[in-house]
Amino acid sequence: MSNTIDRRTVIKNLSITAGTLGLAGVSASCVISVDDKEEKKPKTETELKGNINHTACRWCYQDIPLETFAEKSAEIGLKAIDLLTPEEWPMVAKYGLKSSLGTDVFADIQNGFNTSENHASLQQKYMRLIDKASDNDVKQVIVFSGNRNGMSDDQGLENCAIGLDPLVNYASKKGITVIMELLNSKVDHRDYQCDRTPWGVQLVEKIGSDHFRLLYDIYHMQIMEGDVIATIRKYHQYIAHYHTGGVPGRNEINDSQELNYPAIMKAIVATGFKGYVAQEFIPTYEDKLAALKEGVLICDI
């Protein structure tokens, strides 16, 4: 995300809008009804190679109504939409799309599991989200470390492990994977603690569960570490999800920026990765869906 757009605010506003519109078939428990599961079976207009499971982050396309975005995403060839709240899951399911990474309005980048005082509240809220995810075939939910606020990396690691351990154990029983996002602390998220791959890897090892992994955001880690392909090759077994974005600026991933996305995608595929790669750049084109299609085709190696 960029300095000018707050992803949490966008997700909250989108969720409120969805609730106001009263999406049909959303029960109190957010279990999708049989009618809501009926797919629209949209025509796929883009022939993709099948090596990458493409998805896109909803918040980058907030000006497009969700139903339109879902329909057009399916036509582009996406398999899922990223960072949807439970109220939004039924809509994309109508178009044959998965919700590739679940979230909710309470998820807070700055206030996360590295602060012990947050544990009880976050565990309770995330367990409810995990229940909804399990009922709706959403296999992953996102969590955040939170900001350092003067805390050492060792203490933050310990606190995150303590706070996440019971949550990951709960998620494992429901078949859900909890994923912590790696974000840069230089440009977009000053003071964020999970800002380097080795720190995140230490946390995965400390928790020691197949149901806790990392979201490797290529944009963010290029800013923090560089050496993207070597990092992916070294740590791929700790990574369950990828995000894209052009550097600098977090805009389109074409040749206007410094990263070689086809080479990065080839490295990801070579690791045997079967998860999702989500486009998370902020489109500058007037036709935002054309920008999304371009990004997907660049990554479709």
Side-chain angles (χ1 to χ4, degrees):
M1 74 187 66
S2 73
N3 289 322
T4 58
I5 298 180
D6 183 326
R7 182 169 75 188
R8 183 179 180 228
T9 301
V10 170
I11 289 170
K12 184 175 182 180
N13 290 341
L14 287 170
S15 179
I16 291 170
T17 301
T20 303
L21 291 174
L23 294 176
V26 181
S27 70
S29 64
C30 265
V31 179
I32 302 171
S33 71
V34 173
D35 289 341
D36 281 331
K37 277 188 174 178
E38 184 179 348
E39 295 180 9
K40 298 285 187 179
K41 300 187 186 301
K43 183 175 72 173
T44 301
E45 296 181 349
T46 309
E47 276 301 320
L48 300 177
K49 296 173 183 174
N51 298 317
I52 299 285
N53 292 315
H54 297 282
T55 180
C57 294
R58 165 62 176 151
W59 73 273
C60 301
Y61 303 88
Q62 58 183 306
D63 295 334
I64 302 173
L66 179 59
E67 183 160 15
T68 302
F69 184 61
E71 181 179 15
K72 297 301 182 183
S73 293
E75 289 176 3
I76 289 170
L78 269 63
K79 293 188 176 181
I81 305 294
D82 235 39
L83 297 174
L84 295 175
T85 61
E87 292 77 16
E88 297 170 313
W89 297 341
M91 179 62 76
V92 301
K94 287 183 178 182
Y95 291 88
L97 299 173
K98 298 289 187 181
S99 294
S100 43
L101 184 59
T103 189
D104 212 339
V105 296
F106 64 80
D108 190 338
I109 290 171
Q110 297 180 0
N111 298 290
F113 284 91
N114 65 349
T115 301
S116 299
E117 290 78 8
N118 295 338
H119 288 175
S121 174
L122 286 175
Q123 287 165 356
Q124 183 180 54
K125 291 173 181 177
Y126 269 108
M127 284 179 183
R128 287 199 293 266
L129 178 60
I130 286 166
D131 286 340
K132 294 174 184 179
S134 177
D135 289 338
N136 288 282
D137 196 33
V138 177
K139 298 299 186 184
Q140 302 180 139
V141 299
I142 190 170
V143 297
F144 303 101
S145 66
N147 286 3
R148 290 180 174 86
N149 295 315
M151 185 182 303
S152 72
D153 281 349
D154 286 345
Q155 187 62 59
L157 192 74
E158 183 68 23
N159 289 351
C160 280
I162 292 169
L164 284 165
D165 188 66
L167 184 66
V168 172
N169 184 53
Y170 186 80
S172 70
K173 295 174 182 176
K174 298 279 186 172
I176 306 298
T177 300
V178 176
I179 295 178
M180 181 171 284
E181 185 168 12
L182 294 155
L183 300 170
N184 84 74
S185 59
K186 287 183 179 179
V187 176
D188 299 286
H189 303 289
R190 300 281 183 179
D191 204 40
Y192 185 71
Q193 192 142 46
C194 187
D195 62 353
R196 286 159 295 116
T197 307
W199 190 92
V201 167
Q202 279 186 275
L203 183 58
V204 174
E205 290 181 336
K206 196 171 184 66
I207 291 173
S209 169
D210 289 341
H211 289 268
F212 181 72
R213 288 292 183 266
L214 300 175
L215 191 173
Y216 185 87
D217 190 302
I218 298 162
Y219 160 81
H220 286 295
M221 291 301 97
Q222 170 68 1
I223 291 171
M224 290 303 296
E225 304 170 338
D227 212 17
V228 169
I229 290 176
T231 301
I232 289 168
R233 288 171 176 166
K234 183 175 182 180
Y235 294 120
H236 66 89
Q237 67 267 35
Y238 300 94
I239 299 168
H241 205 77
Y242 289 92
H243 279 175
T244 74
V247 180
R250 186 141 221 163
N251 300 126
E252 284 81 7
I253 62 170
N254 54 32
D255 60 8
S256 65
Q257 52 84 52
E258 68 193 37
L259 286 161
N260 183 342
Y261 270 97
I264 293 168
M265 292 301 117
K266 288 176 183 176
I268 290 171
V269 169
T271 68
F273 182 72
K274 301 299 182 185
Y276 289 99
V277 174
Q279 302 295 330
E280 199 188 19
F281 62 84
I282 300 165
T284 62
Y285 297 178
E286 184 175 348
D287 186 342
K288 292 178 169 54
L289 291 169
L292 174 58
K293 183 175 180 178
E294 177 189 75
V296 168
L297 290 175
I298 288 169
C299 289
D300 194 55
I301 53 86

